[in-house]
Amino acid sequence: MELRQLRYFIEVAERQHVTEAAENLNVAQSAVSYQITKLEEELGVKLLERVGRNIKVTQIGHIFLQYVISALKTIDEAKEKVDEYLDPQAGTIKIGYPTSLARYWLPNVISAFRKDVPNVNFHLRQGSYAYLIDAVKNGEIDLAFLGPVPMKDPDLKSKILFMENIVALLPSHHPLADRKSLSLGDLRNDPFVLFPKGYVLRGIAVGACREAGFEPNIASEGEDMDALKGLVSAGIGVSLLPESTFYDSIPRFTVKVAIETPKATRSVGIIIPKHREIAPSEKNFYQFLIEFFDRLDRYK
């Protein structure tokens, strides 16, 4: 069984046409047919069958196809890792991130890193808190930014890069909009707009309200940061969000106000797998992040 036979099989199975597959592979149609026939003879089953001018994948062919796609994906990823070891200044780093870090911190750190290492590529994947943790564990991504940082997971190596405050976002016509700071208890009678149940930032917001002595009245929910800011802009309610999400701008018709008591914060950092070695390019980026935020902390 040869790799080219498996690649030919995938191409024909997906296109359901030998001629089109051969043209895309830039090889002769007879070569494709011959290699697939050899593959079927070795396996002792028919993977493909002709239906008129087209090709249909047999039932066992569909099962074999899924395993072949997975196997070749693993082989291609393995080759990428070998290339990265040969040249740590190149390669592709697969990074996961939540929506709350997408607009400010992620672009800034990647831009700063690429000034020193311009040949490294980044593959970015946004996802939920739980998805990012699972994706790092199963190798779908190499590392992930998270806030808050899970410090007790036995399968992860976690590093806190900085702590940030949670602030109140109020409609500009709110009675407390002219305040520089407020007590969270001052908002006990306001409707809140928060993330849905299961989102970490909702848990932080609800926990802060409970510490202030009340259960928030959640009037609306939004699944991303821009949706929540838009709801506040529309006067639907108030929200509690990480301060860094306002570094670039504050939405129209809203006001950001610091929370004096109780202080609500979250840790922000990076996670990598504890039981799987990461490639040199990923180690370089991981170390860069630690040094980058250490410098920021020293110059505060």
Side-chain angles (χ1 to χ4, degrees):
M1 191 179 302
E2 301 177 10
L3 286 179
R4 63 173 173 171
Q5 293 173 343
L6 301 179
R7 296 191 191 278
Y8 288 3
F9 167 63
I10 291 174
E11 195 72 29
V12 174
E14 291 180 343
R15 295 179 179 274
Q16 298 186 14
H17 202 283
V18 176
T19 302
E20 291 181 9
E23 289 175 354
N24 192 61
L25 291 165
N26 199 29
V27 296
Q29 179 179 332
S30 58
V32 174
S33 298
Y34 175 70
Q35 292 299 334
I36 291 179
T37 298
K38 286 183 62 178
L39 178 61
E40 290 177 326
E41 289 175 350
E42 181 176 348
L43 293 172
V45 295
K46 290 292 292 182
L47 300 172
L48 304 168
E49 57 186 7
R50 186 170 292 280
V51 179
R53 293 185 176 182
N54 293 326
I55 296 296
K56 180 181 177 182
V57 184
T58 64
Q59 184 175 358
I60 188 63
H62 275 294
I63 296 173
F64 184 68
L65 177 63
Q66 300 309 310
Y67 281 97
V68 169
I69 291 174
S70 177
L72 290 186
K73 180 176 180 290
T74 301
I75 291 172
D76 290 339
E77 290 175 350
K79 185 178 182 303
E80 287 180 8
K81 295 302 179 185
V82 171
D83 291 340
E84 287 183 34
Y85 272 93
L86 294 174
D87 184 5
Q89 303 301 308
T92 299
I93 304 175
K94 299 175 183 176
I95 299 177
Y97 64 96
T99 179
S100 63
L101 296 173
R103 297 191 65 175
Y104 184 80
W105 286 117
L106 188 66
N108 273 279
V109 296
I110 289 179
S111 177
F113 182 72
R114 295 193 73 175
K115 288 180 180 178
D116 296 332
V117 192
N119 293 326
V120 166
N121 296 311
F122 288 90
H123 177 80
L124 304 178
R125 182 68 181 270
Q126 184 175 320
S128 68
Y129 192 82
Y131 163 77
L132 294 175
I133 290 175
D134 288 341
V136 169
K137 289 180 180 180
N138 64 33
E140 187 177 342
I141 56 179
D142 302 317
L143 45 84
F145 288 92
L146 280 181
V149 184
M151 299 302 295
K152 296 182 180 180
D153 194 308
D155 297 319
L156 297 174
K157 180 179 178 181
S158 304
K159 175 67 178 178
I160 295 175
L161 298 173
F162 64 94
M163 300 293 296
E164 72 169 325
N165 292 325
I166 303 297
V167 299
L169 186 67
L170 313 179
S172 55
H173 58 73
H174 194 280
L176 303 178
D178 59 349
R179 293 268 197 94
K180 290 186 177 180
S181 64
L182 55 79
S183 169
L184 192 50
D186 296 336
L187 302 177
R188 67 175 61 249
N189 295 321
D190 283 271
F192 278 74
V193 293
L194 299 176
F195 285 99
K197 286 184 178 179
Y199 282 66
V200 175
L201 286 176
R202 178 191 175 109
I204 292 175
V206 171
C209 292
R210 288 173 178 169
E211 188 178 348
F214 69 97
E215 192 72 24
N217 170 27
I218 301 172
S220 295
E221 297 176 340
E223 293 189 353
D224 62 60
M225 200 67 63
D226 289 336
L228 290 178
K229 291 177 179 178
L231 291 170
V232 177
S233 294
I236 304 299
V238 303
S239 193
L240 303 179
L241 298 170
E243 189 170 21
S244 64
T245 62
F246 302 105
Y247 282 177
D248 286 333
S249 64
I250 298 174
R252 293 177 63 194
F253 312 122
T254 68
V255 176
K256 180 193 73 168
V257 182
I259 299 173
E260 192 65 33
T261 57
K263 279 289 186 183
T265 63
R266 72 163 178 173
S267 60
V268 177
I270 197 87
I271 60 171
I272 59 175
K274 181 177 286 186
H275 306 299
R276 185 180 71 253
E277 186 177 3
I278 60 176
S281 57
E282 295 149 20
K283 288 180 181 177
N284 289 344
F285 183 62
Y286 179 80
Q287 189 59 40
F288 169 83
L289 290 173
I290 295 173
E291 295 171 0
F292 179 88
F293 284 98
D294 183 57
R295 287 196 301 271
L296 284 183
D297 187 58
R298 288 202 306 269
Y299 289 121
K300 278 184 180 180

